[in-house]
Amino acid sequence: MTTAYIAAPLFNDAEKAFNLTVDSRLHEAGFRTYLPQRDGGDGAAMVARGAEPGTVRAQLFTADVTALRTCDLLIMVLDGRVPDEGACVELGIAYAQNTPCVGLQTDARRFSGTNNNLMITGILSTIATTLDELVAHVSQYLVLSESAGDR
């Protein structure tokens, strides 16, 4: 089964809820997903329960980088005033290992994706502006991975 890594901001309830919606739509389309807020852990909650912040940061970094090394596709949510720094690093890691990368930008502040940094848009094969458009685009990866004998 094809695994999609969802690189996205996850620092408030609205972002986390949207990420879960993206995750759900990808599951419905036939993808297995890695969603850092769910699969790596919620760092703020871990620290609130008494975990040492440095240990939490190291644990989350290791979990996310490990998932990036094994994913088949990266989905980057570009919403926000600027793309999330952590998602940009995740995008760079995926690019360095030749993982296909697709953007999702529903935020109209940088409409049509024309005002994103060229180092981001240069990596992305496309920037979808709706979840339906994203699912339609990434579904081709399922067909390709099935015909190539998915991991």
Side-chain angles (χ1 to χ4, degrees):
M1 180 178 268
T2 301
T3 301
Y5 185 106
I6 303 170
L10 48 76
F11 298 100
N12 61 54
D13 291 343
E15 290 169 343
K16 290 177 187 177
F18 183 69
N19 297 344
L20 289 170
T21 300
V22 172
D23 178 75
S24 177
R25 290 294 304 276
L26 291 170
H27 276 272
E28 290 169 8
F31 287 89
R32 178 177 44 225
T33 60
Y34 181 87
L35 182 61
Q37 71 194 51
R38 177 194 61 218
D39 301 317
D42 183 335
M46 295 162 81
V47 170
R49 289 191 302 269
E52 197 276 318
T55 301
V56 170
R57 282 192 297 275
Q59 177 184 335
L60 296 178
F61 177 81
T62 299
D64 292 352
V65 169
T66 299
L68 282 162
R69 288 183 178 142
T70 61
C71 72
D72 303 294
L73 175 68
L74 179 126
I75 308 296
M76 181 179 185
V77 177
L78 295 157
D79 291 348
R81 191 181 57 75
V82 296
D84 177 73
E85 306 91 346
C88 289
V89 171
E90 292 161 334
L91 178 68
I93 292 169
Y95 176 74
Q97 64 188 24
N98 296 312
T99 301
C101 301
V102 175
L104 173 62
Q105 185 170 338
T106 66
D107 192 325
R109 285 177 278 197
R110 288 172 283 118
F111 63 90
S112 302
T114 58
N115 294 319
N116 289 305
N117 185 293
L118 65 91
M119 296 303 288
I120 294 170
T121 57
I123 293 173
L124 301 170
S125 63
T126 193
I127 299 175
T129 58
T130 67
L131 282 170
D132 288 338
E133 187 180 334
L134 174 72
V135 169
H137 182 77
V138 299
S139 291
Q140 69 182 315
Y141 292 101
L142 287 177
V143 173
L144 292 173
S145 67
E146 288 171 5
S147 65
D150 191 274
R151 301 178 197 199

